[in-house]
Each structure stands twice: as C-alpha cells, then as structure tokens.
C-alpha cells in the first residue's frame, strides 16, 4: 500500500512533508483536505489527527501527524534512498548535533517566522486585519536570531556542519514567505542568504512548488 499524505497545498506544514518525500524519492498518494471548508474538523479527520490540523500520513496501518515527526519518519524509513543522512544516525554526536539544529529551528526561527508569516501573509489572504506593530516586533526578534545564524553559517555550510539535514529543510516553507509578509531578513545576512539560496534551489523544493501549483 502506497503511503498516503493528507494535507492542504496552502499549508506550510504540508509543504514541509512534501519536501521530505521528494528529497527521499518516496512514492505517495496525496489526499487533499480543504481547510477553508472545515474539512480538517470532520469526525473522519479528527479520528486520525485529534487537533484538527494538517498534515498526517497513513502508511499501511500506521498513522502519524506533526510535520517534523513525519519528515523524520520518512528520512529514517527510507534511509537507503534519496539524500542520505537527513537524520544522521552514524554516531551519537552527529545525531545530537542534528537534534540541536532541529531544536534551534523550532525555538529560534519558527517561533517568530511562523506568526510573522501568518500576520503579514495569511491574514490579508483571509481578509483579516494585519497588525504592523506585531509584524515589526516579530521581525525584530527574528532579526536578532538570524544574526546568530549568520555567525554559525560563517563557519560551516549547514546548521549541523558540512552536510544537509532535515534541520535545514525545515526552515524553507515559512522562510520563502517572509518577504511576501513584508519581512526582508534573509537577504541582508550574507551567510544566511548563501545557505537559504542553497536549500531553496534543491530539485526537491522545486518539485514541491510545482506540485502545489499543478495539483
């Protein structure tokens, strides 16, 4: 049975899973859930994803939700194909460095980029009022975090060292929308810009974008 991904094209978290699937070359079936029609809160979906969110996957009799957990599952289950070591497992130190970088993404990037993109990009799309004060505050906080990123990336190619991992890829779905939200914080930091251009130029991300525009 082919892996099934339940999600929405507009969902950044769904895009995070698509990115991992394409990076690992995994065949899958996409099952769209219309968020605007409230389909994520049907009893059928809530039985699989109790928070009423997307995405989630079904892999035979196994169900899993939360995009980062799904991406880790894909990377480890299909370790022998596609890009290797997206979740490093060769020794405890390499795994620890990966978990460190993954935690940095969640705490120091997503915590600010996610709300900023919602405020400056998704709210106008939904006809909601945007708070410039909130955007400015989130942008300022994210800028301070990315100053540290720039220092880290001045010494190494990726967040864990010289090899790309999921910790890098996790940044992309929200990162590409920052400028659309009126927050230009990536281009102004040379090492962050180099790194982000690298990870967004991957064929797997291009396939993710094409999939979202054609499906």
């Amino acid at each position: 049975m082919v892996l099934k991904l339940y999600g929405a094209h507009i969902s950044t978290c769904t895009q995070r899973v698509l990115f991992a699937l394409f990076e690992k070359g995994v065949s899958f079936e996409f099952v769209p859930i219309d968020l605007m029609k409230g389909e994520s809160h049907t009893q059928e979906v809530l039985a699989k994803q109790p928070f009423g969110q997307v995405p989630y996957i079904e892999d035979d009799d196994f169900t899993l939700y939360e995009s980062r957990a799904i991406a880790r599952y894909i990377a480890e289950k299909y370790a022998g194909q596609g890009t290797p070591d997206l979740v490093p497992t060769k020794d405890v130190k390499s795994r620890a460095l990966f978990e460190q970088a993954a935690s940095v993404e969640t705490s120091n990037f997503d915590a600010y980029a996610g709300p900023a993109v919602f405020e400056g990009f998704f709210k106008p799309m939904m006809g909601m009022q945007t708070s410039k004060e909130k955007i400015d505050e989130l942008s300022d906080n994210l800028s301070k975090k990315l100053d540290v990123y720039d220092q880290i990336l001045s010494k190494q190619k990726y967040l864990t060292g010289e090899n790309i991992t999921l910790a890098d890829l996790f940044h992309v779905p929200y990162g590409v929308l920052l400028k659309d939200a009126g927050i230009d914080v990536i281009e102004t930091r040379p090492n962050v810009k180099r790194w982000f251009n690298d990870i967004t130029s991957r064929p797997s991300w291009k396939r993710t974008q094409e999939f979202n525009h054609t499906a």
Side-chain angles (χ1 to χ4, degrees), residues 11 41 60 65 68 81 108 138 145 149 192 208 210:
S11 158
H41 287 84
D60 292 327
Y65 55 86
R68 292 171 182 81
Q81 66 187 64
N108 296 291
L138 290 164
K145 301 298 183 181
Y149 270 66
V192 173
T208 300
E210 290 167 359

Side-chain angles (χ1 to χ4, degrees), residues 2-64:
V2 67
L3 181 149
K4 290 185 178 181
L5 169 62
Y6 295 77
H9 294 293
I10 198 172
S11 158
T12 51
C13 293
T14 300
Q15 293 167 22
R16 190 176 288 124
V17 174
L18 286 166
F19 199 178
L21 286 165
F22 288 130
E23 192 74 29
K24 296 301 291 181
V26 178
S27 298
F28 66 95
E29 175 187 346
F30 185 76
V31 182
I33 294 176
D34 193 328
L35 300 178
M36 302 307 290
K37 292 182 179 178
E39 290 181 0
S40 62
H41 287 84
T42 63
Q43 288 304 116
E44 181 182 4
V45 171
L46 290 171
K48 303 290 185 178
Q49 216 297 6
F51 294 97
Q53 300 167 347
V54 293
Y56 67 92
I57 62 166
E58 290 181 336
D59 192 15
D60 292 327
D61 61 349
F62 180 63
T63 301
L64 185 67

Side-chain angles (χ1 to χ4, degrees), residues 46-112:
L46 290 171
K48 303 290 185 178
Q49 216 297 6
F51 294 97
Q53 300 167 347
V54 293
Y56 67 92
I57 62 166
E58 290 181 336
D59 192 15
D60 292 327
D61 61 349
F62 180 63
T63 301
L64 185 67
Y65 55 86
E66 289 298 319
S67 62
R68 292 171 182 81
I70 296 170
R72 282 174 166 87
Y73 171 77
I74 292 164
E76 296 196 61
K77 178 174 180 179
Y78 299 96
Q81 66 187 64
T83 304
D85 298 323
L86 286 180
V87 175
T89 57
K90 62 182 178 180
D91 57 64
V92 67
K93 291 181 180 178
S94 62
R95 181 58 179 253
L97 287 172
F98 164 75
E99 294 298 347
Q100 173 181 266
S103 180
V104 165
E105 184 271 332
T106 303
S107 301
N108 296 291
F109 183 82
D110 187 79
Y112 304 103

